[in-house]
Amino acid sequence: LLRVRKAAQKTGASFVMTNLQPQIAKVFEIANALPEVPIFSSIAEADRYLDAMQRKELEKQGRA
């Protein structure tokens, strides 16, 4: 996962995780292994977040 995140960052892509089992999410939380990677409870939650981020970026560029 760390390699995938690094590769995504190099290309400007986003990396998010959804629908993690609670025990897996807890491991990431404890290890703080991916501090800047959003972890969402569902794909719908990730979609809402990414939609808001895209809207924010378009507003910055004056295209919203």
Side-chain angles (χ1 to χ4, degrees):
L1 290 174
L2 295 173
R3 278 190 246 154
V4 171
R5 179 184 63 98
K6 194 175 210 176
Q9 285 178 326
K10 285 181 182 178
T11 64
S14 294
F15 177 79
V16 300
M17 294 188 290
T18 63
N19 298 324
L20 294 179
Q21 296 293 321
Q23 63 272 27
I24 302 301
K26 190 66 173 176
V27 168
F28 282 115
E29 179 186 327
I30 291 168
N32 202 21
L34 300 169
E36 60 276 340
V37 174
I39 299 175
F40 301 100
S41 61
S42 68
I43 292 173
E45 182 183 5
D47 283 343
R48 285 190 301 273
Y49 171 80
L50 294 172
D51 184 52
M53 296 303 291
Q54 183 178 31
R55 234 180 289 124
K56 192 176 183 180
E57 188 60 33
L58 288 172
E59 287 172 2
K60 277 199 269 186
Q61 296 174 12
R63 298 193 301 175

